Every structure is written in C-alpha cells, then in structure tokens.
C-alpha cells in the first residue's frame, strides 16, 4: 500500500513549467521580488483557494478565480481588448483594492 500522498498541485505546477513559459517566467520574476511567498500564493491558488493566484496562457488556465469584480473585469480587458499572451494575477495585488486604494 502506498502511504505517500501526492501533492495536489504537482500536475498543475508541471503544466506551468512545461506548457506555460510566460506564466512560469512571471512566477520566477515575482519570486525574485517578494521571495518564497510567490510560490506559496501559486500553490494556494492551484489548490483551489481564491484570491491567491490565477493565470492563463495559450488557452490553458491554472489557479482559482478571484472573487473581486474589479479583478475579473481587468482580466477580461487584458485578454480580450489587448490580446495578452499570458496573464498572472497575484493575491498580494488585491490587498490595495480591498482596502480602498486605486
């Protein structure tokens, strides 16, 4: 009997690394800016926690949507109107929105 539990985010992390190079690059850049908290946000979003991490690239979507209307409308704007090649949304960016910042 296998007693080791598989990391629930492992397959999605592998997907990002192999098929989402733009997103993977942004994750690495974010980690250079804020440290290991970037990887924690990614993992939490991949495991289904909202308001942590959400990304898309090449028709692939990973993470969990944010539950703030401004974030979702910004995402639609970047993807549809600007034709973004990839988009990454980070939980630490939402803090200012939740506290009334512009």
């Amino acid at each position: 009997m296998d007693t080791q539990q598989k990391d629930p985010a492992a397959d999605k992390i592998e997907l990002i690394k192999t098929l989402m190079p733009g997103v993977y690059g942004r994750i690495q850049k974010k980690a250079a800016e804020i440290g290991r908290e970037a990887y924690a946000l990614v993992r939490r979003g991949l495991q289904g926690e909202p308001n942590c991490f959400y990304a898309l690239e090449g028709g692939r979507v990973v993470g969990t949507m944010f539950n703030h209307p401004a974030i979702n409308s910004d995402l639609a704007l970047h993807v549809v109107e600007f034709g973004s090649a990839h988009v990454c949304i980070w939980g630490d960016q939402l803090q200012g929105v939740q506290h009334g910042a512009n």
Side-chain angles (χ1 to χ4, degrees):
M1 182 162 92
D2 185 8
T3 58
Q4 289 185 334
Q5 292 184 1
K6 184 177 179 186
D7 177 1
D11 291 340
K12 294 173 187 170
I13 291 169
E14 187 62 26
L15 173 74
I16 293 168
K17 288 181 176 180
T18 58
L19 298 174
M20 301 175 80
V23 170
Y24 187 49
R26 295 300 303 168
I27 292 169
Q28 291 175 317
K29 184 175 180 179
K30 189 69 165 179
E33 293 172 9
I34 69 169
R36 298 208 51 82
E37 177 63 17
Y39 299 120
L41 287 167
V42 170
R43 188 170 293 281
R44 288 167 52 198
L46 295 178
Q47 293 173 341
E49 186 177 336
N51 304 323
C52 293
F53 177 79
Y54 183 75
L56 55 100
E57 180 176 0
R60 293 174 179 85
V61 178
V62 293
T64 305
M65 284 292 290
F66 283 65
N67 60 12
H68 193 282
I71 300 293
N72 297 330
S73 64
D74 285 349
L75 174 63
L77 177 69
H78 284 286
V79 172
V80 176
E81 292 189 26
F82 297 126
S84 298
H86 65 274
V87 176
C88 292
I89 304 173
W90 296 92
D92 66 332
Q93 295 170 329
L94 185 61
Q95 291 173 359
V97 174
Q98 289 177 329
H99 293 96
N102 292 328

